[in-house]
Amino acid sequence: DPRGHMSSVKDNPYRPLPTTPPSRVPVQSRGGIQDARSVPGSQDDTQPLLFGSGQFILYPRRWFMLAMVVLTTMSNTMLWITFSPIADVAESYYDCSATILDLLSTTFQINFILLSLPTSWLISHKGLRFSLTLGAFLNMIGSTTRALGDYLPEANERLGLVFVGQVVAAAAQPVVLSCPTVLAAMWFGENERAVANMIGSVSNPIGVAIGTVISAHLVSGPHDIRLMLWVYAIPCIVSFFLVLFFFKDRPPTPPSLSAGQKSEGFLSGLGLVIRNKQYLLLLLSFGIGVGSTSSVSTLSGQIVGGQGFNAVETSEFFAVLLAAGMVGAVISGKVVDKTKKFTETLRVSFGMATLAFLMFTLVLPLQIGWLVAISTGLMGFFCFAALPVALELSVECTYPVSESTSAGLMWLTGQLFGIIITFCMDGLTGSKEHSTQYPVMTNSCWFVTSAAGLAAFLLLFFKTEYRRLSVDMSVPPSPAPLD
């Protein structure tokens, strides 16, 4: 099956595409593609959106599929970050050291490393619906185990069940992080993929920011921890039942020419990516960049607390990071969908993110809240902007390798570097100052800034052909808009 042509019916999991538009299917208008629901007489997504040349249709329910992935991803990430913003209260409540508490977050990274490749195989062979349902189920079991364990009388018993719940929920993370890139390819057209991937992928750091805010504002003392655990369990339970009853593997017809092609098998695809030098360069840069960002998130309470800021102020800084990050992600997604300048956008995002890390490192010791807020906002804007672009670029330079393989390896490398950078930052901590229980982490901040700079530098040598886009562009041009 030569790339660039439609697969045979045997290789194509979709039903055959209509050769002529069915009645009541909307067509292009002068203002662009119309949504099916905006056309008189169209009741639901059985009246899909005609796309491009008339061969491909987009179904309105694709946004509901994306919303379920977003909710599952955010709820999982909030479980990861639960205790970081309230480290002092949690250490007292569970009668444990800061190192033991850090393991609650590190458990997610360790599980991801162990399960990333099996998860890529699972998505490739069992499909998106089966994989996401399993991930949402593990997420629900992990979150409820943590909450139910809080009714035990002894601190070490409660801590033990929190660890069990964290391990179970952490097993879901490789699935939920790989899903957005696969979903964008299976459900969205070529001019929507970056935005869809942006929404799905950015739900991971958004979950971190929301979790930071919730924990800091909800917990004022040990008596609030039980309520907090149930607050985090509720979205996990809701997302599981939504996915179980409503999530679909793929639309009835493919949204683009590349989506209708058969991907490489898992093992053959893995062999292709490890021989792709440009992908490996992107992999290294992305891993260092994501590892730097996740390390700062994991140690956020200690980093900011060491300079005299309290938990509420820490949560406010991350609320700024969240808001700015959403703006940056939307802008980058729109830019690459319109211009297809993936590499250029990624280089700018990584370069500016490095400057934002530098500003954060310089202004944090000044203990001026608004300057710290500006620096965290800039970090969020450019780090969030880079994330979906890098994931889309990983698919472009490895196509026809399955999206779950190329994106899964990207996340795996990010987790590996996250562990390495986190432990390096822990080892570089200084002495306690400012009458706080946290040590000053200025040296750690300089280290993570240097790591971000290295990630940006590596991208200067990255060059690739956009393989998937080349296949999609082989479709005849769209007809002129109708008057």
Side-chain angles (χ1 to χ4, degrees), residues 453-466:
L454 176 60
F457 176 74
L458 291 173
L459 281 179
L460 297 177
F461 304 96
F462 176 77
K463 297 178 182 178
T464 188
E465 174 191 357
Y466 300 156

Side-chain angles (χ1 to χ4, degrees), residues 40-56:
S42 176
Q43 300 299 319
D44 54 32
D45 64 3
T46 61
Q47 311 299 328
L49 173 66
L50 187 66
F51 182 71
S53 65
Q55 290 181 299
F56 306 113

Side-chain angles (χ1 to χ4, degrees), residues 191-226:
N191 292 323
E192 294 181 326
R193 284 193 300 242
V195 168
N197 203 352
M198 173 272 296
I199 295 172
S201 300
V202 168
S203 61
N204 177 58
I206 287 177
V208 173
I210 292 176
T212 301
V213 172
I214 290 177
S215 293
H217 282 79
L218 199 59
V219 177
S220 58
H223 58 279
D224 295 319
I225 286 184
R226 181 176 299 174

Side-chain angles (χ1 to χ4, degrees), residues 366-427:
L366 302 179
Q367 301 178 47
I368 301 176
W370 64 270
L371 281 177
V372 176
I374 290 175
S375 64
T376 54
L378 291 173
M379 287 168 60
F381 184 94
F382 291 109
C383 290
F384 281 41
L387 181 60
V389 179
L391 292 172
E392 281 292 291
L393 197 50
S394 74
V395 177
E396 291 293 341
C397 73
T398 60
Y399 183 85
V401 174
S402 170
E403 296 86 1
S404 62
T405 301
S406 54
L409 285 174
M410 295 279 279
W411 283 115
L412 170 60
T413 309
Q415 297 289 358
L416 280 169
F417 276 101
I419 293 175
I420 294 170
I421 294 173
T422 296
F423 278 105
C424 289
M425 291 176 70
D426 265 334

Side-chain angles (χ1 to χ4, degrees), residues 316-339:
E316 291 170 350
F317 295 147
F318 274 84
V320 173
L321 182 147
L322 167 63
M326 292 179 67
V327 174
V330 169
I331 291 175
S332 70
K334 291 288 187 181
V335 167
V336 296
D337 266 339
K338 183 175 182 179
T339 66

